Amino acid sequence: MRKKQRICDRLIPAVLIAVFLISSGMFLRDYLSYRQADDEYAALDRYMTADGAGIGPNPEYGEAGGADQAADGNSQKRQENVPSWALPFDVFYEPLHVDLNALSEKNPDFVGVIDIPALEIRYPVVKSHDNEEYLHRTFDGTKNAAGCIFLDKDAPADLSAQNTFVYGHNMKNGSMFGKLKNFRENGTVDRFPYVLLYTLEGTFRYRIFACSEVEASHSIYHGFEDGDGYDAYIRMARNLSAYSMPENDEVDFAKRPKLLSLSTCTGSSHTMRYVVQCALVEKN
């Protein structure tokens, strides 16, 4: 009996040490992986820059809260306590300068750059022949758990589909689509309710209208074939959404604008997804 006790006394510390070493190794592995991906994407920032700092009054129109003279001589007024969606878009957002050709040369799968100013998400977007390649491969082709933001394999690269899905990982350090779930917080969407995609086809501006948590098998991921199907899909998406878009907003669903749906894991379950859905309001 005493012999068994001595064995247990020796075994338990050994097991604890082994668990500690394994956990430390996994932590170090994840840290180095995150750091590698962060460094790579930070190096790409020089291809997608803005003169200003994210969202806020466009310097072209002066400071917020008064009547300012634009470069073209037109007076623009921005009132305090007015939500950004109620203001002229270019008063509150300074467009990015994106070197699309340089990014295309770096990766032939390049489609465009996604910019979600409210969450400071800005990454190149790619498209492959399947939905697996860029799950664990970065923009430059390096194997990494962060992967890359990518279009659904069946989506046209010119964003001409009625509903284009874009996928990205919910990374623990907040990179990729790791901050997408922050749209759950009250007021975050209305802080700046737009998602922009800069592509060789032009710049697409989408207005967020729904944010939902669903099963990966949910019909939100299914397509629709006609106008009635579109209308039913919009009703479903808005009914599921924890966010309610103001009724006097610029989106007119009667015209059936094209949709953009951003999808990531929730982190709470392998089968749950967080989906942010947007409607096209402008293309330049």
Side-chain angles (χ1 to χ4, degrees), residues 10-176:
R10 295 173 182 173
L11 185 60
I12 291 174
V15 170
L16 292 175
I17 291 172
V19 170
F20 172 77
L21 292 174
I22 292 172
S23 299
S24 298
M26 293 175 65
F27 174 82
L28 180 60
R29 179 200 62 191
D30 290 346
Y31 170 79
L32 293 175
S33 178
Y34 290 163
R35 180 64 181 270
Q36 180 188 41
D38 286 348
D39 288 347
E40 177 191 327
Y41 286 112
L44 294 175
D45 281 346
R46 62 194 177 104
Y47 298 108
M48 34 189 172
T49 61
D51 294 333
I55 55 176
N58 187 332
E60 182 179 353
Y61 297 106
E63 295 299 323
D68 302 300
Q69 195 70 18
D72 61 1
N74 294 324
S75 178
Q76 299 286 340
K77 181 177 290 186
R78 180 172 182 267
Q79 299 177 357
E80 294 181 358
N81 302 320
V82 177
S84 60
W85 57 264
L87 297 167
F89 177 73
D90 59 352
V91 172
F92 207 65
Y93 174 80
E94 186 179 4
L96 298 179
H97 304 292
V98 180
D99 193 337
L100 297 166
N101 292 325
L103 290 167
S104 295
E105 290 176 4
K106 285 184 170 294
N107 186 336
D109 291 336
F110 173 73
V111 171
V113 168
I114 190 168
D115 186 22
I116 310 177
L119 301 179
E120 298 182 347
I121 294 175
R122 183 187 302 169
Y123 288 104
V125 180
V126 294
K127 181 181 181 298
S128 181
H129 62 281
D130 59 36
N131 287 342
E132 304 295 327
E133 180 177 1
Y134 284 102
L135 281 175
H136 304 294
R137 193 177 296 277
T138 61
F139 184 74
D140 73 357
T142 302
K143 288 186 177 181
N144 190 290
C148 192
I149 307 298
F150 63 94
L151 291 190
D152 185 88
K153 64 181 180 62
D154 295 323
D158 63 0
L159 307 179
S160 60
Q162 198 62 52
N163 188 11
T164 299
F165 270 88
V166 182
Y167 305 105
H169 282 306
N170 173 21
M171 300 302 289
K172 293 179 181 178
N173 67 346
S175 62
M176 311 314 291

Side-chain angles (χ1 to χ4, degrees), residues 55 84 118-119 179-193 208 243:
I55 55 176
S84 60
L119 301 179
K179 291 186 286 188
L180 203 63
K181 58 185 177 293
N182 291 353
F183 276 137
R184 294 169 177 164
E185 300 171 7
N186 289 337
T188 304
V189 174
D190 284 329
R191 177 170 174 255
F192 194 81
I208 297 170
Y243 166 73

Side-chain angles (χ1 to χ4, degrees), residues 202-215:
T203 300
F204 297 74
R205 177 164 64 96
Y206 298 86
R207 207 294 186 191
I208 297 170
F209 69 88
C211 301
S212 311
E213 190 168 319
V214 298
E215 289 279 349

